[in-house]
Amino acid sequence: MDNRMTAINEASAYLAGRLGGFRPLVGIILGSGLGRLAEKIEKPIIIKYTDIPHFAKSTAIGHKGNFIAGMLGGRPVLAMQGRFHYYEGYSMDAVTLPVRVMVRLGIGYLFVSNAAGGVNFGFKVGDLMIIKDHINKLPNPLVGANLDDFGPRFPDMTRPYDPALIARAEAIGRELGIELKKGVYLAGTGPSYETPSEYKYFRMIGADAVGMSTIPEVIVARHSSIPVFGMSVITNEAHDDYADDFENNGDDVVRAANAAADRMGSIVVKLIESL
């Protein structure tokens, strides 16, 4: 058997055993500084990544490394409190293993979030951006023999982020009085922050925000025809006209993400309620 399928099957079997008959409707991936949304989950079952067969260890700042199952917005969810990144030295198979496992456990939707730099001059720190499309500068996680049990060799990516979910989120934002931006997310390998010239280039090719994650999980979810909703918290202004003494700082990114977490959480909970 393909080693990837062995890992998926063994991790899925372990989690199914820990969760009993629990079947999640929504899978949620919470990025840097955004793990606090998991605190809103009712009747939580907390499972450490380190206990799950074949799972990597989450080492990024602000990533606790837990799967949390329970109820959110009146719906059963399975939330990742932290994700894995290519820059941590993990293969794309390891980075996306949790999504394959969540598909096996029955999710019907995937919600993804991240902290991102705003290359759009109209974005400021603390803004919430609905991801409408993406530009991938990471290795594609579907390279290699196709996993036919999950989807086709050449999955369509015309609408990687579900238009109906985006429309609902925009309506919820208006209802709650929360301003929501909308734009294109670009992911690079990291872990170094981009240079001013790279930020300028990304803006010129159509990106509104830039980060180091998310797109591999989205591609794998869409491979299985799972509808995806994505949101970025703008945690720094990723421009090319900095003051001479400016520097990007990972701790500042986490602080900015934490400050926006409650607003993002309100949108996500209401969106889940609407499913």
Side-chain angles (χ1 to χ4, degrees), residues 48-161:
K48 293 184 179 298
Y49 294 162
T50 51
D51 292 339
I52 304 171
H54 307 287
F55 266 51
K57 180 180 179 182
S58 185
T59 67
I61 299 172
H63 291 241
K64 291 190 176 181
N66 297 321
F67 251 134
I68 303 182
M71 303 298 292
L72 186 67
R75 304 286 188 267
V77 303
L78 185 58
M80 291 183 67
Q81 201 173 22
R83 57 157 54 88
F84 309 130
H85 301 81
Y86 184 68
Y87 68 70
E88 294 173 271
Y90 299 130
S91 69
M92 277 297 162
D93 291 335
V95 168
T96 58
L97 173 62
V99 177
R100 298 286 195 201
V101 169
M102 287 193 284
V103 171
R104 272 287 168 86
L105 293 174
I107 64 167
Y109 302 89
L110 181 69
F111 286 21
V112 294
S113 67
N114 58 55
V119 296
N120 185 318
F121 285 128
F123 290 1
K124 62 183 185 297
V125 173
D127 280 346
L128 299 178
M129 185 193 85
I130 294 173
I131 305 174
K132 66 177 182 180
D133 202 352
H134 67 229
I135 299 170
N136 188 29
K137 303 291 285 183
L138 285 160
N140 192 302
L142 302 184
V143 170
N146 187 53
L147 295 178
D148 295 331
D149 289 352
F150 287 90
R153 169 77 283 186
F154 302 106
D156 177 50
M157 292 294 289
T158 307
R159 286 169 291 277
Y161 302 88

Side-chain angles (χ1 to χ4, degrees), residues 117-124 194-200 203 208 210 234 236-242 246 248:
V119 296
N120 185 318
F121 285 128
F123 290 1
K124 62 183 185 297
E194 294 76 11
T195 68
S197 293
E198 287 170 332
Y199 286 143
K200 182 178 181 179
R203 185 184 312 112
D208 295 290
V210 60
I234 304 303
N236 59 293
E237 294 179 353
H239 297 169
D240 51 292
D241 57 352
Y242 293 123
F246 177 85
N248 274 313

Side-chain angles (χ1 to χ4, degrees), residues 205-263:
I205 65 172
D208 295 290
V210 60
M212 306 171 188
S213 67
T214 302
I215 293 177
E217 296 107 314
V218 172
I219 291 173
V220 164
R222 294 304 300 140
H223 185 228
S224 292
S225 299
I226 299 295
V228 175
F229 175 77
M231 183 173 288
S232 296
V233 176
I234 304 303
T235 51
N236 59 293
E237 294 179 353
H239 297 169
D240 51 292
D241 57 352
Y242 293 123
D244 290 342
D245 61 349
F246 177 85
E247 68 174 13
N248 274 313
N249 182 286
D251 291 332
D252 290 342
V253 166
V254 172
R255 279 192 289 270
N258 280 333
D262 290 340
R263 285 182 292 123

Side-chain angles (χ1 to χ4, degrees), residues 7-42:
I8 293 165
N9 291 340
E10 292 181 358
S12 299
Y14 175 83
L15 282 168
R18 289 285 302 270
L19 297 176
F22 182 86
R23 186 177 177 86
L25 174 66
V26 183
I28 308 172
I29 302 176
L30 299 169
S32 297
L34 302 174
R36 280 170 33 189
L37 179 60
E39 297 169 9
K40 297 179 181 291
I41 296 175
E42 300 173 354

